[in-house]
Amino acid sequence: MSKVALDSWEREPLWLKALTPFLKAKKLPALPPDPQIGRWYRFTPDGAVSANGEPAFADIRIGTENRLVVFFCGGGVSTDEYTAARPASMYMRGKEGYYLIRLDLVGDLVVGKGILDDHPENPFRNWTKVVLTYATGDFHVGTHDFPYTALDGSTRVARHHGYLNYRAVMDEIQRHIPAPDDLLIAGCSGGAWGAALLADDVIGRFPDCRAVTCCIDSALGLKGDWPRIATEVWGAPEEIVARLHSTDMVRDSLVALHRSHGDRVRYLYSSSVRDSALSRLQNHLDGNGLVFTRAAGEKFQRDAAEMSASLARDIPGIGFFFFDTPDPSARGMGLTTHCVIGDRAFHRTTSDGKTARDWLWDAVNGKVRSYGRDLLSE
């Protein structure tokens, strides 16, 4: 089985080895034919793979309400041979790392955070939830085996199979909740790109659901050749690539979604104002290296202001939630934290006096509002 940059995992850091027993204990049980209500399970479709060829899986929890959350996880992106040869595991030793390639030890940990947790304060706690974990480097839309030259000189293949994995998982979830009364399509970071790119496909699976919300959390990366990357590197379906016309594939996807579905969908976008991870990504996309800088954060703030203004023009009624929580890992640069709806901070992060949790819950119930847009001009 071909793997991505296997040598980067042959020398696992000592701290990871020490955590392995704890992480294995957190591994969810396999999904049975008749799952218990309220319990999390791991579902591994036949043939589903991560970028390095290891099995890929999703996490599923059947709720007591006939309401469904489809949540896309993030974890970087592979855009060419250079990034394909440098998975995120290498960043653990101070090197460049662009996308996750392993799920087995850490993939299930996301279900204890944000809209996915079982906390009594979480209004989504009783919904059925499917979590599309992510280690394919393709924003969940790939179908390609992408060849590249690894750092050791060998020829390897990145299995950008995100779309194939997604389809298999959704086939399964439709067995358990074929006609939800409410549908929330959401994602963080790379998963937010996935939510935007695949929202139309998800909606098409539940044609009778009239209460649909699409929430994009922390996804902004401007690049002129996204359509080529989506086609040549990931092998994204033609109908997805056809929607991409500008440097901003999230904006393109949301505008196309609005043209197709209009007011049937409630549209939401959230982000911190100088997102540390996204400004670092934009530095790379601009050719300045995968590094944190104050200038990149300031540029992100300007880009976010332009993006939100453009979305507000093209999607009347879209709701925004911008916040200004400092990122302690980037001290002295004025950068802010990355993601909120899939994070423990979901319940306490506020903007204009409203928590991210209450903003999202209000929107799901038809009260779409915006908070924090003034922060973009400060």
Side-chain angles (χ1 to χ4, degrees), residues 48-105:
V49 293
S50 300
N52 67 345
E54 295 180 357
F57 58 87
D59 292 335
I60 293 175
R61 179 185 184 275
I62 307 303
T64 57
E65 300 180 41
N66 190 42
R67 310 169 91 180
L68 174 64
V69 175
V70 178
F71 185 86
F72 294 85
C73 293
V77 64
S78 165
T79 58
D80 51 25
E81 286 200 49
Y82 183 90
T83 53
R86 292 162 175 81
S89 56
M90 306 186 80
Y91 182 65
M92 296 177 184
R93 291 189 298 280
K95 299 180 181 180
E96 292 174 294
Y98 292 92
Y99 65 115
L100 297 178
I101 60 169
R102 289 191 74 178
L103 285 173
D104 188 58
L105 289 178

Side-chain angles (χ1 to χ4, degrees), residues 152-284:
D152 64 3
S154 64
T155 299
R156 301 187 184 179
V157 172
R159 303 201 182 280
H160 294 317
H161 286 202
Y163 183 74
L164 303 178
N165 297 345
Y166 152 80
R167 296 285 294 184
V169 171
M170 292 304 296
D171 288 346
E172 175 66 22
I173 199 66
Q174 284 184 273
R175 291 183 52 246
H176 302 282
I177 183 167
D181 297 324
D182 291 84
L183 173 63
L184 170 59
I185 306 161
C188 293
S189 192
W193 267 278
L197 291 162
L198 289 168
D200 186 69
D201 191 284
V202 175
I203 293 169
R205 287 173 170 266
F206 305 103
D208 296 329
C209 182
R210 309 311 302 173
V212 181
T213 304
C214 181
C215 181
I216 306 305
D217 181 20
S218 306
L220 177 59
L222 307 179
K223 189 169 176 62
D225 59 347
W226 282 127
R228 181 194 62 78
I229 292 168
T231 301
E232 298 179 7
V233 179
W234 307 333
E238 291 182 6
E239 64 269 20
I240 292 176
V241 179
R243 304 176 193 134
L244 309 181
H245 304 289
S246 73
T247 59
D248 186 350
M249 67 163 64
V250 170
R251 179 197 174 280
D252 289 346
S253 299
L254 288 178
V255 171
L257 189 69
H258 181 258
R259 288 173 180 162
S260 296
H261 298 281
D263 294 341
R264 177 189 176 191
V265 178
R266 299 159 185 140
Y267 306 87
L268 303 174
Y269 183 93
S270 59
S271 175
S272 70
V273 292
R274 292 176 301 282
D275 187 300
S276 58
L278 295 182
S279 61
R280 179 173 177 254
L281 171 64
Q282 191 64 57
N283 249 347
H284 161 70

Side-chain angles (χ1 to χ4, degrees), residues 1-57:
M1 184 176 290
S2 178
K3 295 188 177 184
V4 171
L6 179 62
D7 58 320
S8 70
W9 282 99
E10 289 172 342
R11 300 183 299 277
E12 289 182 345
L14 292 177
W15 67 264
L16 181 58
K17 291 181 180 179
L19 281 176
T20 296
F22 166 79
L23 295 173
K24 286 184 176 179
K26 293 289 185 179
K27 182 176 177 179
L28 296 174
L31 181 73
D34 296 309
Q36 295 180 23
I37 292 175
R39 185 175 183 184
W40 281 101
Y41 296 96
R42 176 185 287 198
F43 172 61
T44 305
D46 291 340
V49 293
S50 300
N52 67 345
E54 295 180 357
F57 58 87

